[in-house]
Amino acid sequence: MFLASLLQFSRKTFCLASSHCMPVSVTMPEAPVSERGCCSSSIIIDGENKALEFIEEVTSNADAVQKRVLGEILSRSASVEYLQRHGLNGQIDRQTFKNVVPVVTYEDLKPDIDRLANGDTSPILCSQPISEFLTSSGTSGGERKLMPTIEEELERRSLLYSLLMPVMSQFVPGLDKGKGMYFLFIKSEAKTPGGLVARPVLTSFYKSSHFSNRPYDPYTNYTSPNETVLCPDSYQSMYSQLLCGLYQNTEVLRVGAVFASGFIRAIKFLEKHWLLLCNDIRTGTLDHKITDPSVREAVMKILEPNPKLADFIEAECSKDSWRGIINRLWPNTKYIDVIVTGTMSQYIPTLDYYSNGLPLVCTMYASSECYFGLNLNPLCKPSEVAYTLMPIMCYYEFLPVNRKNGFTDSFAKPVSLEEKENQDLVDLVDVKLGQEYELVVTTYAGLYRYRVGDILRVVGFKNKAPQFKFVCRKNVVLSIDADKTDEDELQNAVKNAADHLLSFDASLTEYTSYADTSTIPGHYVLYWEISLSGRAAAIPPSVFEDCCLSVEEALNSVYRQGRVSDKSIGPLEIKIVESGTFDRLMDYALSQGASINQYKAPRCVKYAPIVELLNSRVVANYFSPKCPKWVPGHKQWCTSQN
Ligand code: AMP
C-alpha cells in the first residue's frame, strides 16, 4: 500500500515532530520515552531534514504521486457499489475515471450517505469499514454534512500534521525549548441511527490515541494537559487551559487555536475571569466551578501557589489598555498559530491589537472531507499565505471558475461564479498561475470527484505542486466562527421573519447583512428598510426582537450551535434604516461604476464606506432576546442522540 510504504519511510527516517494538534503516531519510536528523550534533539534535527526531503520528493513528483494515489484508491474500491453503478468496472486509469465518474456535490451523495448513517454496512462508497462520520461545518438542508471516514484517514491526517513543525523550525529555531499554549476543544457528538459516532474532525482527532497517547515530543509539549482539552464542558475546558497557560507563562514560545475566532474568544474569557484565575495561581487551588475530576487532578499536578506570578498577571490585566496583552503575559511568544485566511481575516486587526503585531501563522488547509496542504512559508503576511496541496493526501482535480468582476466585488465577497462546467477539470500539475478553481477531490474514504466548495487561486509552485491562496467558500455570505451562511439560507430566514411585520401593515422593502466582529463574540447584523402603510400602528420592539429570533431559528445548525453551545456567536441584531437608504446605496454603487441595469442590492456588505453609510442611517436597533433552539445531532435522529 502506498500509505503503508510512506509510513514505513517516515518511521525509519524521520521523527514526526508536530504542531499544535499533531500526533506523532506515524513515527512513534519503538524505544520508550526515556530513551527517546536522551537523544531526541539529534533525532529531531534528522527528522526535520527528512520531513523536508519528503516534501521535496512528493512535490517534485506530484503527477506521478497523484497517478499512484488515484490508482490505489480505485483498485481498492473496484467493487464498491458507487463505482459499479457508474460502470467503472475496476478500471484505474485517469481518463476512464474522468469519462465515467461524474463530478458531484454532497446533495448527489446524500442518499448513499444516509444509507450508511442508517446502518447499511455494505461497501457503498468505500471497501473499508466506515469508522465514524465527521460532521462538517458545511451544511445541507440546515444540518451539518456527514462525511464518512475510515480508520486509516487518521494516520493520513497525522502524516500531514507531522510535517508542520519541521517546516516551522526552518524559520523559527528553538521551538523545542519551550511549550505551545494552544486552546483546543472538543465538541458534542451524536450517534447515527446505525450506531456510528458523528462528530467534528478535530474532536475525533483529539479523542484518538494519535493525540491523547502521543509520546513525549518537544514539539507537542503543550501547556494544556490532555484532560483539559478533552473536557466536554466548554467553560471548564477554557478556564483550566487558560490557568495552565498563565501558570507556565514564561515557558510559552507559541500560542494559538485552530481559528482566529477561537483564540480571540480565549482572550475575551481572560478579560472576564482573570481575577478568579489569579486567585487560583496565588493560592495554588482550583476554583470550585471546575468540577470535572480528571481536569482537577491534571491541573493540580501542575499548580502550586505562586503569589508573585498572580500579582504580575493582576497588574497587567488591571491596566486600562489590553493592547499587547499577549506579549505582556507570555513574554517569550514568537508567533500566533491560527488560521486567518478566508473569512477569518476579519480578525487580523483584533489579533494585531492584542499581540502588538506578532506574526500570525497559518500552517494548514484542511477539511472534514480530507486534509489538503500546508503553508511552506509560514512567516509570510496573512494576505500572502499560500497552501501547497500535498499530492499524497487524495486525488485532486480543479474546476476553473471566473468570478464576475464588477461592482459587487467591492461590496462583499464571495460574488457569484461563472463555472465552465463543460470544460474539462484540470489535474494538480496542470493548473495555471493566476487562475481560480473550485477544488474537487477523490479520497481514500470514498468520495469520488467531490466538489469541496472552496475557491482557490494559484499563486505559485513548489516544484511541480501548485500553491494556492484560499479565496473563499462558494456562496457563503456570512461567517463569524465555524458557521457558513449562504445567500439562499439568509434569504429564506429573512423572508419568514419579515412576515411578523405584516399584521402591522408594514413590509420589508430591502435588506442586507454584515458580519460584525467588532463585538466579541461577533454577531450577524441585518439592515432592514421597511415600508409602513399610512394606517400602520407603531410596531412594538418585541416584534422586531421576535424577527431577530425567527431569523436565528431558521439558520443552520452550525450557526445555532455557535449561539447556544460554543457561545462563539452573539445575538443577531436588526438595524432599521431610514427610508431611502437603499436608494442611497444604489447611488453610491452607480457613482463607483456599477451598471444601473444590472444593479441589485447586495445581500451582504463588507466594504467599510458602505457599512458606514448604512450605520449613519440607522433609526433603531434590536437584538435577539434569547438563544435559538439547538440540539446535537441531526433533526431526524432525535431519538438516537447521546
Ligand atoms: P470543516 O469541514 O468543517 O472542517 O471545514 C472545512 C472548511 O474550512 C474548508 O473547506 C475551508 O472552507 C475552511 N478552511 C479550512 N482550512 C482553512 C484555511 N487554512 N483557510 C481558510 N479556510 C479554511
Side-chain angles (χ1 to χ4, degrees), residues 340-342 345 348 365 374-375 380-389 398 403 413 432-439 454-461 466-473:
V340 286
T341 41
S345 60
I348 293 172
Y365 169 46
L374 37 101
N375 176 2
C380 68
K381 285 196 248 153
S383 58
E384 287 164 10
V385 171
Y387 298 104
T388 306
L389 301 192
F398 298 87
R403 283 189 294 155
K413 282 181 185 168
K432 299 273 174 296
L433 194 66
Q435 170 70 48
E436 292 184 358
Y437 298 93
E438 182 182 342
L439 180 62
D454 288 344
I455 307 300
L456 310 175
R457 183 186 312 134
V458 186
V459 291
F461 286 85
Q467 300 181 302
F468 292 92
K469 181 182 164 76
F470 181 91
V471 176
C472 61
R473 177 108 185 156

Side-chain angles (χ1 to χ4, degrees), residues 425-460:
L425 270 69
V426 178
D427 275 326
L428 183 69
V429 295
D430 295 329
V431 296
K432 299 273 174 296
L433 194 66
Q435 170 70 48
E436 292 184 358
Y437 298 93
E438 182 182 342
L439 180 62
V440 174
V441 294
T442 295
T443 69
Y444 285 88
L447 300 176
Y448 306 93
R449 312 195 83 196
Y450 176 88
R451 295 172 71 162
V452 174
D454 288 344
I455 307 300
L456 310 175
R457 183 186 312 134
V458 186
V459 291

